[in-house]
Amino acid sequence: MAPITVGSEGKCAITVRLDRRQFSRRALTRAAYWFSKDWFVEFSPEEDDTAIVVNFRAKEPTQTTAEILAMLSAEFHNAVLDAELRCQIEEETANVRELILAKAFSEAGVLEVENPIPDGV
Amino acid sequence: MNRRFLPPEAFGLPDASYSLLPFRFRRLTADRELLVSECGEYQIVPRGTVRALVERRLDTQSALYSDLCAKQIIADGQHGTDLELLATKYRTKREFMWGSTRLHIFVITLRCDHSCVYCQVSRQSTNADRFDMSAATAERALDVMMQSPGSDLTLEIQGGEATLAVSLVQQLVSNAKSKAAALGKHLNIVLTSNLAHLTDELLEYLRSEGIKVSTSLDGPAFIHNRNRPRPGGNAYELAVEGIRRCREVLGENQVSALMTTTLISLEHPCEIIDEYVRQSLHSIFLRPISPYGFAVRTRRKFGYETARFLEFYKTGLHHIIDLNRRGYRLVEVYTKLLLTKILTPYGTGYVDLQSPAGAGFGALVYNYNGDVYVSDEGRMLAEMGDFGMRIGNVHADSRRDLLRSPQFLNMVEAWCNEGLPGCSDCAFQPFCGADPTFHYATQGDCIGHRPTSGFCERNMSVLSYLFELIAQDNPETMGILWSWIADRPDTGSKQ
């Protein structure tokens, strides 16, 4: 199937179907998070489990136009692609990041308990 | 002389494969992307670079490749990972963490003669001295303050109007200095005042004790008096006269002024800035209104959208840069703070934009009755009946107890933007912060919902604008901005 297909659910909602093999759930969730400002976002699996279905329903139906809906699917597509890249970068650099933080704080002395002043009330 | 050459392999082409180091990115404009390393070093690149980078299609002979290696966004055989350097950079950016709570705000009275529309205090009448901090409370609060492990502390005395309780101020300062000296701690003292009750005796006292003064100047009279009504309607006149007298007696650099932005302010950025020039002030902080206290209660009348504030900020910054260009040095403090984080290896001590959040960690607030809060904003929530940010009382709790209270620990879970939804993969993460109190007050929980967060929207907008300014790379503009960061005059400015 095409990576992303879009269906119209009326004037105030669209449905986006994404190929599960090409997009991770993690990336989709991260991308969808930022759309929750103006949209109610719902995830549901397809019956044959090859796709993830994302429904977008406008929070302000009276201010939604066809142009906005068209722009939404394009922006979500870009957001998902960016989110996939971020997931890849994080996965590839996770170990180095942990080493950086561990080294930064282990040599800083912040892990030592400092209490030169009595605490008595 | 025995001259040795490196083996032939050292002069060959660099290893064609490279590895990624931790970094984040965002689309900056239609044709540019912004890459930011884990340590806060940035690179503005053509659109599509991130994908090419991840897919290993980047030209390893290009200047861009060398720049990305230098910024430690990628590493290869020639430019190793250098964990030592990365860890040092990471630690340097968070230098503010060392020494822990440096700022201690004492609200010594709720009495005040002003009725500021954005006030974070439930003001009391000027003769209601039952709302003054008692000597016992002050003594105990100082003990808690001195339990901070740092050697450099700041005591900020606030109200209400602190100068309505001068004897309290004097007692507090004397005790604070004694305790600090006994422990070998360095103490900075700041008095926050509307300057409406300034006497020659008080000025002489402030001078002799080396106390700095912080006051409010919201703009020209028609803005200042409308924001800060008082009997007689002369808050502006008293403030500017007070600033003049303070500078005369205390010294030019011992008094600073802050403005607070309200709806009327949004319509007059240039007039406000020109007022600061008229008063010969050389720094201004274009900061938004806080969603607390009387500001919350009057939100219907005085609330505004983030977009309007951004427009105000851009217009104001443009005007300020132009003033600098024409020879008048005026620093915009918020811009300076952000650019320090972006363009230098360092963080800042500005508690409202830190990760871990400054609330409670960088600053504590001691109310007149001994209650301790993580911030001014936390105290104001209590004035509105919400004690979610009250972490204890000095008469019952030590510093250790305060920082282990359920309220403090609840906030701690949300005080690192590295782990917050939306923030964890944001390119602006090293330059931004976490504000659990803001999100608790406006959205009902410390973590908050980033897409609808005013804090997030404001900071992302301002940071995006600043990066666009940096990308334009106008030499004159950048010279002015760098002069702010470096705290020295811009030698390129016209005289």
Side-chain angles (χ1 to χ4, degrees), chain A residues 36 82 86 92 108 115 119, chain B residues 25 27 56 98 400 449:
Chain A
S36 61
D82 282 354
R86 292 189 178 99
E92 199 173 316
N115 190 17
D119 270 358
Chain B
F25 72 93
R27 296 174 191 264
R56 301 306 195 275
W98 278 249
R400 186 182 291 266
H449 181 241

Side-chain angles (χ1 to χ4, degrees), chain B residues 364-421:
Chain B
L364 284 174
V365 178
Y366 308 82
N367 205 7
Y368 75 100
N369 59 1
D371 283 346
V372 184
Y373 298 89
V374 299
S375 62
D376 255 349
E377 292 76 12
R379 181 175 61 87
M380 198 51 241
L381 287 174
E383 297 290 349
M384 295 157 59
D386 185 336
F387 294 89
M389 293 288 155
R390 184 181 66 179
I391 59 176
N393 187 288
V394 298
H395 292 291
D397 302 302
S398 66
R399 172 182 165 81
R400 186 182 291 266
D401 295 332
L402 295 171
L403 301 189
R404 282 170 167 73
S405 64
Q407 292 81 3
F408 188 81
L409 294 178
N410 182 47
M411 188 195 66
V412 165
E413 289 184 3
W415 75 352
C416 282
N417 67 357
E418 288 85 348
L420 296 178

Side-chain angles (χ1 to χ4, degrees), chain B residues 32 98 101 107 120 146 151 215 236 239 327 359 365 367 381 423 462 471:
Chain B
R32 298 199 214 193
W98 278 249
T101 320
V107 180
Q120 297 185 21
M146 295 301 162
S151 59
T215 190
Y236 166 83
V365 178
N367 205 7
L381 287 174
C423 298
V462 171

